[in-house]
Amino acid sequence: MRSPSWTWDELLLICSRVVDNNWRQLRTYQGATEELADLLRSLPLHESAARMLPEFRSPASISRKSADLITNRPGYARQATRGGQLTSLIAEAFTTRESEMMMAAHAIEEGISSGELIKVPPQPDEVDPDGYAAQEGRLLARWAIFRERNPTLRKRKITEARHLGMRIQCEVCHFHFADAYGPIGQDYIEVHHLQPLHISGPRETRLQDLAFVCANCHRMCHRSHLGSPWRTPDVLRAMMPMSRKAL
């Protein structure tokens, strides 16, 4: 058995350390590289059999991958190593959106160190139909989807809306389930975070952090498109044709 291919989350964490190291290669003899190896081995992304391999996410493999990230960075003057497409995408993302990517890396590390991310089971929509994970990382997408499916939180949001006399409908397309399906659709709706997890941080979700969305709009809020893996109801509504906004 060979070590599995690198994932977006793993390369994101490595590149965050490369940035902290002023875009210099991580060396095997550095204590920080050993610590990173332990972190990568702990991520709930691969089968347990892979973690038993001696070379799995070893300091040496991390050092080599850090060199790939450096040489595949846009504007690198010398010849790039053959790190693969995902490596190039990560290097470009850190070059153009360093602050956002660093926040994502810190959120993953905080989730792992607190034990919260280890407890979250894989979610059906953490990878889109094309096989790509959200650009903030598969683990953060998993965590966000899991939190949005919390039935207690959703129920509290609906109770608050009813108390305030609000119509419980999609905040993007204004679809109302009871209007379409009768009593079976009464008070049925999904909720979506108004900030992605890597920006809000893994704090306790407040009701004001959530928006009502129908299932279709919820998928579109999370779908990767033109480099963006997440959007608010307002942003998604602005993307809709004018004929649909008028409904």
Side-chain angles (χ1 to χ4, degrees):
M1 182 178 180
R2 299 178 60 184
S3 286
S5 300
W6 293 96
T7 65
W8 181 278
D9 298 72
E10 293 168 321
L11 296 183
L12 186 152
L13 291 172
I14 294 174
C15 202
S16 72
R17 301 299 180 90
V18 170
V19 171
D20 285 338
N21 201 37
N22 295 317
W23 285 95
R24 295 194 300 267
Q25 185 175 357
L26 306 179
R27 300 297 182 179
T28 56
Y29 56 80
Q30 294 174 318
T33 307
E34 285 278 3
E35 293 175 5
L36 180 56
D38 290 339
L39 173 62
L40 296 185
R41 294 186 192 112
S42 73
L43 298 180
L45 289 169
H46 302 291
E47 298 179 1
S48 56
R51 301 179 192 176
M52 302 299 293
L53 298 172
E55 68 274 16
F56 176 69
R57 305 322 181 231
S58 65
S61 69
I62 292 171
S63 180
R64 289 193 297 271
K65 184 48 67 175
S66 71
D68 291 337
L69 288 162
I70 292 166
T71 63
N72 281 270
R73 186 185 184 193
Y76 185 73
R78 286 176 276 181
Q79 184 174 359
T81 57
R82 296 176 61 184
Q85 182 183 17
L86 194 58
T87 297
S88 298
L89 289 173
I90 287 281
E92 180 182 5
F94 269 91
T95 301
T96 58
R97 299 182 286 113
E98 180 180 305
S99 176
E100 179 182 343
M101 299 300 288
M102 292 297 285
M103 284 192 291
H106 293 156
I108 292 174
E109 292 200 37
E110 186 173 345
I112 294 296
S113 64
S114 68
E116 291 298 315
L117 261 175
I118 303 297
K119 296 185 292 185
V120 177
Q123 300 295 306
D125 299 330
E126 65 187 50
V127 175
D128 68 24
D130 298 323
Y132 295 102
Q135 290 206 15
E136 72 270 27
R138 180 172 184 169
L139 292 176
L140 292 185
R142 175 185 300 179
W143 200 358
I145 293 167
F146 179 75
R147 295 198 309 173
E148 289 178 344
R149 288 177 174 163
N150 182 332
T152 301
L153 196 64
R154 176 184 160 275
K155 185 177 180 180
R156 287 175 53 211
K157 180 70 175 177
I158 290 174
T159 299
E160 178 191 58
R162 292 179 67 183
H163 178 73
L164 296 173
M166 295 171 56
R167 183 172 166 84
I168 299 171
Q169 64 183 21
C170 179
E171 296 182 33
V172 179
C173 69
H174 308 303
F175 184 85
H176 189 277
F177 282 87
D179 287 350
Y181 302 109
I184 194 174
Q186 187 66 38
D187 290 348
Y188 182 82
I189 199 74
E190 296 183 9
V191 294
H192 175 63
H193 281 88
L194 292 173
Q195 282 191 329
L197 190 59
H198 70 274
I199 292 178
S200 68
R203 57 172 169 77
E204 183 178 353
T205 301
R206 302 167 300 185
L207 295 183
Q208 58 264 39
D209 296 332
L210 301 171
F212 288 135
V213 287
C214 68
N216 284 346
C217 289
H218 200 183
R219 292 296 293 269
M220 293 298 100
C221 282
H222 281 286
R223 187 166 191 244
S224 295
H225 179 66
L226 298 179
S228 175
W230 180 96
R231 52 200 57 84
T232 65
D234 287 344
V235 169
L236 184 62
R237 191 183 312 109
M239 297 170 67
M240 297 173 67
M242 292 303 297
S243 58
R244 290 293 302 164
K245 295 179 193 179
L247 294 179

